[in-house]
Amino acid sequence: MASGEARSPETMIRFVLDPQGRVTPDLAGDLPGRGAWTSARREAIVKAAAKGLFARAFRRPAVLPDGQGPEDFAAAIEAGLEARLLAALGLARRAGALAVGFDQARAALKEGRAAALATATDAGEDGAEKLARLARGLPVLRAFDAAAQSAALGKDGVVYAALLSGPAAARVLREARRLDGFRPVLCVATQDAPAP
């Protein structure tokens, strides 16, 4: 383990070395070769890259991709995690595991079918607060603005969506937890407070 921490694989990122000895993030967890793991947190990855912890974990020389310092490396991983989360949201929509729009999300929350709520970062506070009250105790994802969320879901103007309970929601939340180590995107809705 490059970071020296023991955590659940859901909150970790695996790395492998390419043939040139460059550290390569294996965000999908399916690249061949011996892997080294680190916590899915920006500071853990920057530390591992800056202090040579990848070379120690692999027991051989390990370098960052060309032209990347530790901060650039972490930023590239964050961008990859964002892309994976957007793709997971899109797959949930295509699988019929997403109630899209304020009224549909509200209905799914009221009926107890929702596992989480996705609210655009540029959503109006009034609507976000109303849905957050219905989602109390559930994870609330606020990772993307309405334009990015809409593009991922293939539908214009998506500000609110409820993830319906099931494997698709579990996948979205797994990806969101990893991205949350780079920038806050998840919270748990409470009865008194709106989602951030």
Side-chain angles (χ1 to χ4, degrees), residues 79-104:
L81 292 172
E82 287 176 347
R84 287 185 60 80
L85 179 53
L86 286 167
L89 284 167
L91 286 171
R93 167 105 161 104
R94 289 190 291 285
L98 212 56
V100 177
F102 183 89
D103 292 334
Q104 291 84 354

Side-chain angles (χ1 to χ4, degrees), residues 14-193:
R14 181 177 183 261
F15 295 86
V16 298
L17 291 182
D18 73 5
Q20 289 75 41
R22 289 182 297 233
V23 180
T24 304
D26 182 13
L27 300 180
D30 60 3
L31 292 177
R34 180 172 184 261
W37 295 78
T38 189
S39 175
R41 292 189 344 256
R42 174 183 298 280
E43 58 273 7
I45 289 168
V46 169
K47 177 182 175 185
K51 297 197 173 216
L53 300 180
F54 287 114
R56 187 180 325 164
F58 287 113
R59 296 187 186 112
R60 60 178 275 210
V63 296
L64 297 182
D66 296 337
Q68 288 187 352
E71 291 289 342
D72 302 320
F73 186 59
I77 292 167
E78 180 181 351
L81 292 172
E82 287 176 347
R84 287 185 60 80
L85 179 53
L86 286 167
L89 284 167
L91 286 171
R93 167 105 161 104
R94 289 190 291 285
L98 212 56
V100 177
F102 183 89
D103 292 334
Q104 291 84 354
R106 181 177 60 191
L109 289 164
K110 281 185 171 183
E111 295 163 8
R113 296 182 295 126
L117 174 66
T119 301
T121 55
D122 53 353
E125 285 308 310
D126 184 47
E129 188 173 332
K130 286 177 183 173
L131 288 181
R133 275 198 286 267
L134 289 173
R136 65 182 171 268
L138 295 178
V140 177
L141 171 65
R142 284 193 91 164
F144 306 108
D145 63 19
Q149 214 162 254
S150 298
L153 300 178
K155 183 176 168 90
D156 290 334
V158 178
V159 179
Y160 306 105
L163 286 149
L164 305 180
S165 297
R171 179 179 179 191
V172 169
L173 290 173
R174 191 168 43 248
E175 296 296 345
R177 281 186 206 100
R178 294 198 304 169
L179 180 57
D180 198 55
F182 288 78
R183 61 183 178 90
V185 298
L186 272 178
C187 72
V188 174
T190 64
Q191 190 167 1
D192 302 326

